Amino acid sequence: SRSAASRGSFDIIAVNCKEVRFIQVKRTSAKSRMFMKKDIELLRGVRVPNHPCIRKQLWCWLDYKGWSIQDII
């Protein structure tokens, strides 16, 4: 499921037979990575079912660097 430009906590909910991922996607320049800390803290407060197969992640596209994927615990 994809929710581009969403106002909710997650942009993508990915499901397969082994796991469920709740994913927030961002884009930034490599110089302005500080906002990621704010997003990580916000996502930590979002409740999802507590199960080893369920993951929350922040995927950030850093200009000229590529993807940075952070698991939120």
Side-chain angles (χ1 to χ4, degrees), residues 14-46:
V15 179
N16 70 17
C17 63
K18 294 183 182 180
E19 68 182 352
V20 177
R21 291 185 190 190
F22 293 88
I23 302 169
Q24 176 63 256
V25 181
K26 299 287 184 178
R27 178 191 166 270
T28 186
S29 68
K31 295 178 182 176
S32 64
R33 294 177 74 170
M34 290 303 294
F35 87 92
M36 287 176 57
K37 289 183 180 182
K38 179 183 172 188
D39 287 314
I40 289 170
E41 290 304 315
L42 287 171
L43 291 176
R44 281 190 178 133
V46 177

Side-chain angles (χ1 to χ4, degrees), residues 47-61:
R47 297 184 65 143
V48 297
N50 186 15
H51 192 278
C53 296
I54 297 175
R55 297 166 64 183
K56 293 189 288 186
Q57 293 181 320
L58 174 62
W59 291 23
C60 187
W61 176 257

